[in-house]
Amino acid sequence: MILDINLYINGEWLDSYDHKTMPIINPATEEVIGRVAVCHRKNLDDALVAAQSGFDTWRVVSSFDRSQLMKKAALLLRERVDHISSIMSIEQGKPFIQAKAEILSATNIIDWFASEAVRAYGQVIPPRNISTQQLTICEPVGPVAAFTPWNFPINQIIRKLCAAISAGCSIIIKGPEETPASPAELIKVFHDAGIPPGVVNLVFGVPSEISNHLIKSPVIKKVSFTGSVSVGKEIASLAGKYMKRVTMELGGHAPVIICEDAEINVVVEQMIVAKFRNSGQVCIAPTRFLVHEKIYDLFKLKLVDAIKELKVGPSDNEGNNIGPLIHKKALTRVHSLVEDALVNGASLVLGGNRLNKRGFFYEPTVLEDLPHQAKILHEEPFGPIILLIRFKSLDDAILEANSLPYGLAAYAYSYDSRNIMKISNNVKCGMLAINHVGLALPELPFGGIGESGYGTEGGSEALACYLDKKLVSLQAC
């Protein structure tokens, strides 16, 4: 069981004003394992007051001291990794080893942003008049409203949280109601590291009510959202109405181009991990497998053999590789996309069924011969599904890869420099990995183009999204 999860506002753990809660469901058993507070409008008002007060305090703390506190938080998180991994595994469903990898990744992100905190450099601009000095200086933009999903309960928060506080901003985090316990443990880490009251706040509740209330508030100066394209458009539209700076990390439908000269064993090994991690509930998961016709049959054979070795089941069994989907709605949606594809003429290579009587488990599934009208070709499946598509020429593969309005991640495998250059120059996406799958390192930009959003949550540019650049022009009297 997970204890009831409250709101964290102004350095205190608080109940909702009206004591309203919602259940936390274990996706492997469908049992209620706890309850999470649903914040009242008054709680949000308190959070806004706290965030403004926290910003006034935190913005004048030196970048060196901010960095030191963050490094202390990273150390505490490493010490608690097993405990928090167990909590995440229960509430989110991913295997313990994957939960632990997520949290250890979060510690690296904290350390990286802690180092970036002391590098928010300005610029000296050579003047036209020798008696004039022209400078740009960076200042924190102000209190931030961040909206995060359930698929990576800690890492989706940590990128926004660390960028904000390393820049000198305060933040109100709207955490995921499906998986609130591990985010709460993360906030406890920063509390214990000594973050001043009001700098970090965590709320849960009805997403639309929270976003409307926070974004409209004059206190909030910056909005960061990770989630679906449809909701992202609504958030961006509302933020634009109130002239709030925005970072959007939305959905994808990542292609992987597998050329004739690709090393099939390497591709299968890497793609199995990338595709079925977190049961395919990953925004950058490869989904559309574009395979050269000359190696298609062999690739399919080896892929299916590898998938058959995977074990689906509850996270408390160390031998399981794939856990449940997050909730019944996700399970129903995934199965309906598969059924739609089959009704429209697709061929089922493997899987296609719900597993077990309890829990939201779905078989690893492979589809081929997909007709253009199949919904799954156009909608992000967000589940353990692979779509196999043949191609004759690389131009055809690139055309297919670019056929959707998404542009988050893409992958490719080839050792031919001509193929690599053509793919690099023509595949439209925010992130492209060739011959490997490493895209989510702290020092790398993380974001998309098109309907996959804008802005980045990684790399040197991530901090800039939370800073205002001010020109100061001085002339000697």
Side-chain angles (χ1 to χ4, degrees):
M1 296 294 292
I2 289 175
L3 296 177
D4 292 348
I5 306 301
N6 284 334
L7 315 172
Y8 182 77
I9 298 173
N10 203 32
E12 296 183 289
W13 293 98
L14 305 171
D15 193 2
S16 171
Y17 271 102
D18 59 4
H19 308 293
K20 187 177 180 181
T21 65
M22 62 176 64
I24 307 168
I25 307 295
N26 182 336
T29 65
E30 303 184 46
E31 296 174 341
V32 175
I33 54 175
R35 303 193 70 85
V36 58
V38 176
C39 69
H40 188 274
R41 183 179 291 265
K42 290 182 180 179
N43 294 118
L44 292 178
D45 289 335
D46 289 347
L48 288 165
V49 171
Q52 183 61 63
S53 175
F55 174 65
D56 294 339
T57 299
W58 191 241
R59 68 186 299 272
V60 296
V61 173
S62 73
S63 59
F64 176 82
D65 288 337
R66 295 199 298 264
S67 176
Q68 293 302 109
L69 185 146
M70 293 175 70
K71 290 178 180 178
K72 183 178 179 181
L75 181 61
L76 290 175
L77 187 56
R78 286 189 179 94
E79 291 175 353
R80 302 175 189 181
V81 63
D82 286 343
H83 170 64
I84 302 176
S85 297
S86 296
I87 291 173
M88 184 190 296
S89 188
I90 292 169
E91 67 176 350
Q92 202 273 339
K94 67 181 61 174
F96 176 86
I97 192 170
Q98 293 182 24
K100 188 171 184 177
E102 176 180 341
I103 296 169
L104 291 176
S105 172
T107 65
N108 292 333
I109 293 171
I110 299 172
D111 280 336
W112 191 84
F113 273 105
S115 297
E116 284 295 290
V118 297
R119 298 191 181 96
Y121 300 132
Q123 189 178 30
V124 178
I125 304 169
R128 297 186 180 191
N129 184 333
I130 195 67
S131 63
T132 301
Q133 186 179 66
Q134 299 171 154
L135 309 171
T136 59
I137 58 176
C138 294
E139 299 177 334
V141 66
V144 175
F147 304 89
T148 65
W150 46 261
N151 58 332
F152 289 92
I154 283 184
N155 271 7
Q156 296 286 12
I157 289 177
I158 206 68
R159 287 182 179 273
K160 304 175 192 300
L161 169 59
C162 289
I165 65 174
S166 63
C169 301
S170 60
I171 188 169
I172 301 174
I173 301 161
K174 203 297 287 182
E177 292 74 31
E178 298 89 345
T179 57
S182 44
E185 292 295 323
L186 174 66
I187 301 309
K188 289 177 185 177
V189 164
F190 280 88
H191 177 92
D192 293 345
I195 198 78
V199 177
V200 177
N201 305 275
L202 177 67
V203 299
F204 302 98
V206 180
S208 59
E209 294 179 4
I210 295 174
S211 60
N212 280 323
H213 196 78
L214 293 184
I215 295 173
K216 289 178 181 178
S217 170
V219 170
I220 298 300
K221 306 301 182 185
K222 155 80 178 177
V223 176
S224 182
F225 173 82
T226 298
S228 70
V229 174
S230 58
V231 176
K233 288 180 177 180
E234 294 178 9
I235 295 287
S237 177
L238 183 62
K241 181 179 179 180
Y242 293 93
M243 292 300 293
K244 305 295 173 75
R245 188 180 297 186
V246 178
T247 299
M248 288 278 147
E249 197 268 282
L250 308 180
H253 204 329
V256 48
I257 298 175
I258 305 167
C259 296
E260 180 183 358
D261 65 317
E263 176 52 61
I264 294 177
N265 291 332
V266 172
V267 180
V268 169
E269 181 182 359
Q270 294 184 358
M271 285 293 105
I272 286 290
V273 175
K275 173 68 255 183
F276 296 111
R277 177 172 61 117
N278 202 21
S279 302
Q281 300 171 121
V282 183
C283 59
I284 61 172
T287 301
R288 296 177 292 149
F289 284 55
L290 313 177
V291 187
H292 193 280
E293 61 181 6
K294 290 186 178 179
I295 62 169
Y296 182 92
D297 290 335
L298 180 59
F299 176 80
K300 181 174 72 171
L301 177 64
K302 292 195 173 187
L303 178 70
V304 169
D305 286 344
I307 293 174
K308 288 179 178 178
E309 296 296 317
L310 299 176
K311 295 181 180 179
V312 182
S315 59
D316 56 5
N317 186 328
E318 293 184 6
N320 291 333
N321 312 101
I322 302 177
L325 297 174
I326 186 63
H327 43 47
K328 186 175 182 179
K329 182 180 178 181
L331 178 67
T332 301
R333 180 180 178 275
V334 164
H335 188 59
S336 69
L337 287 172
V338 172
E339 289 291 295
D340 172 79
L342 295 176
V343 167
N344 280 285
S347 299
L348 182 66
V349 178
L350 189 70
N353 294 296
R354 177 178 180 172
L355 292 173
N356 301 342
K357 294 182 179 179
R358 288 200 313 165
F360 308 119
F361 297 97
Y362 200 77
E363 286 183 300
T365 298
V366 180
L367 297 170
E368 65 178 351
D369 303 324
L370 289 125
H372 179 73
Q373 65 268 29
K375 291 180 181 179
I376 201 167
L377 275 178
H378 308 279
E379 299 179 17
E380 181 181 21
F382 224 60
I385 302 172
I386 287 176
L387 311 180
L388 289 179
I389 303 169
R390 300 174 190 262
F391 73 84
K392 290 184 178 181
S393 72
L394 184 54
D395 288 338
D396 292 337
I398 292 172
L399 188 65
E400 178 63 35
N402 294 337
S403 64
L404 301 180
Y406 307 109
L408 189 57
Y411 305 86
Y413 286 86
S414 177
Y415 295 104
D416 186 322
S417 61
R418 293 167 298 181
N419 290 342
I420 291 172
M421 289 302 295
K422 179 175 280 192
I423 291 167
S424 299
N425 292 331
N426 292 284
V427 172
K428 297 176 182 178
C429 61
M431 300 174 282
L432 172 63
I434 299 177
N435 295 327
H436 76 131
V437 293
L439 291 176
L441 298 173
E443 63 271 21
L444 300 180
F446 193 94
I449 61 174
E451 292 202 355
S452 289
Y454 42 78
T456 180
E457 295 198 317
S460 59
E461 296 177 8
L463 194 62
C465 298
Y466 294 79
L467 294 167
D468 283 330
K469 185 170 286 189
K470 177 192 289 184
L471 168 66
V472 179
S473 182
L474 306 171
Q475 189 170 54
C477 297

